[in-house]
Amino acid sequence: MSRDQSTILNCLRQVVFVLAGAALIPSLVGCTATHAERRVEAEQRWEGVRSRIKLQMAQQQYEQGMVDEAVTLIEEALGWEPENGDAHLLIARCYLEQDKVAAAHRAVELAADLCEDTAELSFVRGMVAERMGQYDKAALFYRHARMIDDAVVEYLMSEAECMVMLGKPYDAQALLVSRVVDYGNDPGIHALLGEIALHVGNHAQALESFRIVLDSGSFDPVIAEECALLMARFNHYGEALAILNRLVGQYPGLVSGSVERTIAACLIALGRTEEAKGKLTVITTKNPGDAEAWYMLAQAGIVTGDLPTVRRALVAVSRLAPRRSETTLIGAYVDLQLGRVKQAERRLHHLLTENENDAFIYCLLGTAAEREQEWEIASKHYRRALEIDEQCDWARAALSSTRFRNVKSHKNAPSYDNLPPRG
């Protein structure tokens, strides 16, 4: 091959190479673009997986009450997957726990734009509306949740609670009563029925509902306390004492002053006055400003004839509540015990102008009349005490004693004919 031919061939080869290279460029560019797209898709899938893992962890933290930790995890999840409606719904719940109602409202509305119309979504929207004081709106959301999934008792109870807040307690009662069997006599429904009954002042119905809750095996401390206090109110002292003692044993940190005082009141009513006195001494030592406990301690001291205890209680109540009628009554008792009969009578007659139906006042007046040997007057006082309270042991014991056997006439005794009857 000549030199010229060789040169021409090399040139042709270069042209072919260039042309071949030019033809290859589009193909290479196409492969590179496909690979990049796949990489982006893979990263998106991976971020979605990481987001869901974080959301699962956040759900666990939320259920364990670790709300701040849950929020941190949800925020990380939303960083990878900002349009995850479930994440917005969960963080709305968390914000409610943190008392960030406005943030919860924004989150749940975002969830509503991203999620399907589920019972859970409607329920959380109801919770947010309720916290915003929009009870009518909340009730509608709860009802909608119940229409989607009627198996969740919480939806029913939340709707009923909103109805009470809207001034419709009897409608709420009717709704709960109509559905309680459908939910297997759920103790929560009976507890709510009891609370509504208390709200409207029907204490007997409240007690009945709370009994059902306790009989079901549930021992919620709040329900147990309310039930026991109602039992004591209806003179079921033994049952009340049993529940309160269990409450103190299981939840010592939750025992309130009213529980401690009710235990003492039950003990007094059951004749275990010395034991009550010991408990009341502990209460007043722990809390010297508890006037009610001091009054009860004075009562226990009177029943047991413990004048030093009564005088100590009188000093306390005279300081804490000098104008209360109970203070005057205790003062009259102490006056009688110390022989200041006329002063005691003045106190007691003053008390009658405030309360004409207190058997204890008449018993003290009867005692004062006895100290002055005015038997007919004393008898009249004791009989009036029994008219007011048929179970008044003090008056009954006095009238059955030998010192009143010869009392025939009451011509010199005061007249109570115009006083209102018992009750």
Side-chain angles (χ1 to χ4, degrees), residues 34-147:
T34 301
H35 178 72
E37 289 172 0
R38 290 173 183 165
R39 184 175 180 180
V40 169
E41 290 175 0
E43 287 179 353
Q44 288 176 343
R45 284 195 300 270
W46 173 235
E47 288 177 353
V49 170
R50 295 171 72 187
S51 175
R52 286 187 288 276
I53 291 173
K54 289 287 185 181
L55 195 57
Q56 289 174 0
M57 294 170 61
Q59 182 70 44
Q60 293 172 355
Q61 298 280 40
Y62 173 76
E63 290 172 356
Q64 294 171 9
M66 303 172 70
V67 178
D68 294 341
E69 293 81 354
V71 168
T72 300
L73 291 168
I74 299 169
E75 288 173 346
E76 291 179 18
L78 286 171
W80 290 315
E81 202 173 18
E83 294 190 357
N84 187 325
D86 292 336
H88 288 292
L89 191 58
L90 181 56
I91 206 168
R93 279 183 173 273
C94 293
Y95 286 149
L96 284 177
E97 294 287 338
Q98 294 177 326
D99 204 27
K100 299 176 181 177
V101 180
H105 181 254
R106 288 192 296 271
V108 79
E109 291 308 308
L110 272 172
D113 292 336
L114 297 167
C115 293
E116 296 180 7
D117 184 20
T118 63
E120 170 76 3
L121 173 62
S122 189
F123 178 64
V124 177
R125 295 182 82 180
M127 292 171 65
V128 172
E130 186 175 354
R131 290 288 293 277
M132 296 174 72
Q134 300 172 351
Y135 300 111
D136 52 347
K137 192 174 180 180
L140 291 175
F141 278 128
Y142 292 141
R143 188 173 307 159
H144 184 62
R146 189 160 57 85
M147 294 301 103

Side-chain angles (χ1 to χ4, degrees), residues 11 77 106 119 133 174 255 294 328 342 346:
C11 289
R106 288 192 296 271
V255 176
W294 281 113
T328 304
K342 293 299 182 184
R346 283 195 296 273

